[in-house]
Amino acid sequence: MLIEIQSDVFRTEAKDGPIRPTIKFKKGLNVINGSVTGTNSIGKSTFMMAIDFCFGGKGYAKLENVKNNVGIHDINFAFKFDSSATPFYFSRNIGEPTIVNVCNFSYEKTEEKWSLDEFNKWLNDQYNNATLLSFRDTVSLYSRIANRENLDAIHPLRYFNGQSDGDSIIKLLKLYNLFDPIIDSEKDAKLASEKKTAFSDAQKYDFIPKITKAKRDNNLKRIAELEQQKEDLANKSEKGLLELSSSQADAISKLKTDLSVFKRQRGKLYNKIDILKKDKNDNKEVISKDFEELQYFFPNIQLKRITDVEDYHKEISSIMNRQIAESEKKTWNLINLLNEQINVIEQKIAEISSVKNVSKVTLDTYLGLDKEINQLKLENEKFEKQNELIKESKETAEKLSSDTMEQSKKLEGIINPEMSKINSKIFGSNVNTPEFHIETSKRYSFYTPNDDGTGTTFKGLVVMDIATLLTTSLPILIHDSVVLKQISNESIEKIFEIYDNLEKQVFISIDKDTSYTDETVKIIRKDEVLKLSSGGNELYGFQFTLKGNEKDD
């Protein structure tokens, strides 16, 4: 338990007055007592925030008026968990609230530092909190201090403004160790919800088409039309097309495209062969008999010179003929290679399908129809998938709700009888008891039958907190004067008697103590750990207005 708190900024007489002695705590009730006149801004609520700070809270470090008027400072504190054990000494600085310094008994900081998460886990272990809640989730709700958001007496499970009833119910079930049977249902419901959301987001950003029921129905009509067009096309092509799958038709279309290219190349090479043959024929030798006939008409012509020229032409012609022959040979080689490729492609087409004599245009038309059908079917599959995800999300949510309600009845069976016992101690058995009911997995109600007055609602809040303290591993209660001042003096006396007999620690702040009953005053005097008042006895030795309204964790 928390056994003490100390800070060099806790002063008396003035801001720079004497440092307050270390403030000691005990099990059961610990009272922070304000002035008899009810003077505000003396530090009661701020001190309660400092206590919460010792239990791993962050709210005290967020109080701007404290930082502005007092400055950055340390809060030193100690815990002890066994009567014979050595206390554990720590210090937290509001300028570095996520660090917890390990100290010696004089609050001299050692080299050992813990993160706030490590410290809270340590507290969780020391208090033997075996619930599914973190330590802060366990104690934060029940640290009811002015300016925090957990003071709604009609919604006593609300940690902060805007928290859903469903989330509050889950946390309470975890605190009572009743959530284990719901874990799998919660995981399934969460996963189903996330999948449905992810699918909706993908449609929102056009990663997948958004298909409505009307669009699905239109797709079905269009698919029927396209199937009929496919069948008509197949009928004109000996029905072989109907035996083709989309992938087969696509493969055949591509093969036929390649086949067309190779055949065009082969045709060009055949044309080249024809040209080479013509060149070869045009390059025949001129025989000497032709020259003799020429001499008959031109008696003085020099045949030798003509023959020499002709010999040169023959040599040129021989070279050209060799080149033509080589080119012709290469061309025929290319034609043979193309013929081999053409044969391979035609064989592949035959292997894929027995469809014959189908033009590429027909095949491409068939393939286009098939692709459109597949695209429309894919869109409809997305529609069916969306409906499947919606159904899964609904069913898992209903299962979670059913399991939650089953466990909630067990919870009501624990907390309502305990509240009834506490209420009877305070008022007797004839006064209506606060009732807590979980109406659905997302909504609860808390009320006192036939009495909705402010005092009664806050009395109900206190009764429920005490009942929770007695029936769970919750280690502490912190009730600021803002909670208690709404309740009648007679009721306060009985509530203080219950506080005083608790084994766990309760920290409360009050003022105007002389206005209470004599028995209440006796309890206050006995359990008072800090007395605050105006005129130099404020928490920091001087008065300033506290306006901080930060939400804690």
Side-chain angles (χ1 to χ4, degrees), residues 101-212:
N101 298 280
V102 179
C103 304
N104 62 22
F105 68 93
S106 299
Y107 291 110
E108 294 170 338
K109 296 176 183 177
T110 67
E111 293 183 358
E112 188 175 0
K113 297 177 185 290
W114 295 355
S115 71
L116 185 57
D117 287 342
E118 289 172 330
F119 175 69
N120 283 331
K121 186 178 185 306
W122 178 82
L123 284 176
N124 211 51
D125 293 340
Q126 296 300 317
Y127 277 108
N128 297 314
N129 180 26
T131 72
L132 294 174
L133 292 176
S134 68
F135 185 76
R136 284 307 299 172
D137 274 349
T138 300
V139 302
S140 181
L141 175 64
Y142 302 94
S143 298
R144 303 192 190 270
I145 307 168
N147 299 313
R148 295 189 66 187
E149 297 180 359
N150 59 345
L151 300 175
D152 188 341
I154 299 175
H155 298 92
L157 305 184
R158 185 172 290 173
Y159 284 68
F160 53 86
N161 293 337
Q163 183 185 26
S164 69
D165 282 3
D167 184 46
S168 300
I169 292 168
I170 292 295
K171 280 184 165 55
L172 191 62
L173 287 170
K174 288 180 178 179
L175 181 59
Y176 274 86
N177 283 320
L178 291 171
F179 191 73
D180 283 4
I182 309 174
I183 290 176
D184 289 340
S185 296
E186 186 196 37
K187 288 180 179 177
D188 292 343
K190 182 179 180 181
L191 179 60
S193 177
E194 288 174 349
K195 288 195 295 186
K196 186 183 78 165
T197 300
F199 192 89
S200 298
D201 287 344
Q203 289 181 321
K204 177 180 177 181
Y205 294 105
D206 296 326
F207 293 131
I208 58 175
K210 185 174 184 178
I211 307 300
T212 62

Side-chain angles (χ1 to χ4, degrees), residues 305-516:
R305 291 186 66 184
I306 294 175
T307 303
D308 290 342
V309 171
E310 180 58 22
D311 288 342
Y312 174 74
H313 286 162
K314 285 180 180 179
E315 187 176 347
I316 296 297
S317 178
S318 176
I319 293 171
M320 291 182 64
N321 284 337
R322 285 197 302 273
Q323 290 177 342
I324 290 170
E326 274 183 30
S327 181
E328 188 175 7
K329 181 180 179 181
K330 290 180 180 178
T331 303
W332 276 113
N333 286 338
L334 290 174
I335 289 173
N336 290 334
L337 288 173
L338 287 171
N339 283 334
E340 289 177 7
Q341 291 298 316
I342 288 169
N343 290 335
V344 168
I345 291 174
E346 288 177 340
Q347 185 177 355
K348 285 183 178 179
I349 293 173
E351 289 173 355
I352 293 174
S353 171
S354 60
V355 179
K356 299 178 181 178
N357 302 321
V358 178
S359 70
K360 185 178 182 304
V361 172
T362 300
L363 197 59
D364 286 347
T365 302
Y366 178 88
L367 182 60
L369 293 171
D370 205 54
K371 283 184 175 180
E372 186 177 352
I373 289 171
N374 288 337
Q375 178 60 35
L376 294 173
K377 286 182 177 180
L378 184 63
E379 289 181 359
N380 283 358
E381 285 176 9
K382 295 295 184 289
F383 176 82
E384 298 302 330
K385 184 64 176 178
Q386 182 181 32
N387 285 344
E388 176 187 324
L389 292 174
I390 292 172
K391 180 182 178 184
E392 181 184 8
S393 180
K394 181 181 177 182
E395 289 177 350
T396 54
E398 289 174 349
K399 175 71 164 53
L400 174 60
S401 177
S402 174
D403 291 347
T404 301
M405 289 305 297
E406 183 177 344
Q407 294 302 103
S408 296
K409 295 306 176 186
K410 295 179 183 179
L411 174 61
E412 289 183 23
I414 297 171
I415 200 166
N416 282 326
E418 189 65 32
M419 285 197 296
S420 180
K421 286 197 305 184
I422 295 168
N423 196 73
S424 293
K425 287 181 181 179
I426 298 173
F427 301 104
S429 58
N430 294 327
V431 177
N432 287 332
T433 298
E435 294 183 13
F436 172 72
H437 296 291
I438 297 175
E439 298 169 9
T440 72
S441 62
K442 297 181 183 296
R443 187 176 69 253
Y444 71 86
S445 61
F446 182 69
Y447 60 93
T448 298
N450 302 317
D451 192 345
D452 58 0
T454 301
T456 298
T457 56
F458 274 93
K459 180 264 296 181
L461 172 69
V462 171
V463 168
M464 186 174 189
D465 281 358
I466 295 173
T468 305
L469 187 72
L470 291 172
T471 54
T472 69
S473 60
L474 176 66
I476 62 166
L477 278 183
I478 300 178
H479 283 166
D480 199 359
S481 59
V482 70
V483 175
L484 301 172
K485 69 173 53 176
Q486 309 291 341
I487 304 172
S488 69
N489 289 350
E490 293 75 15
S491 299
I492 284 291
E493 178 182 323
K494 297 299 183 182
I495 289 171
F496 277 28
E497 287 176 0
I498 294 173
Y499 282 154
D500 194 39
N501 290 315
L502 292 171
E503 289 294 314
K504 296 178 181 180
Q505 284 186 300
V506 177
F507 304 90
I508 69 167
S509 72
I510 62 163
D511 48 26
K512 300 181 181 179
D513 59 355
T514 56
S515 66
Y516 293 111

Side-chain angles (χ1 to χ4, degrees), residues 220-237:
L220 290 174
K221 292 179 182 178
R222 178 60 179 162
I223 289 170
E225 294 172 358
L226 294 171
E227 293 285 6
Q228 184 60 51
Q229 291 180 33
K230 276 179 61 179
E231 186 172 355
D232 293 343
L233 191 63
N235 288 335
K236 296 177 182 177
S237 306

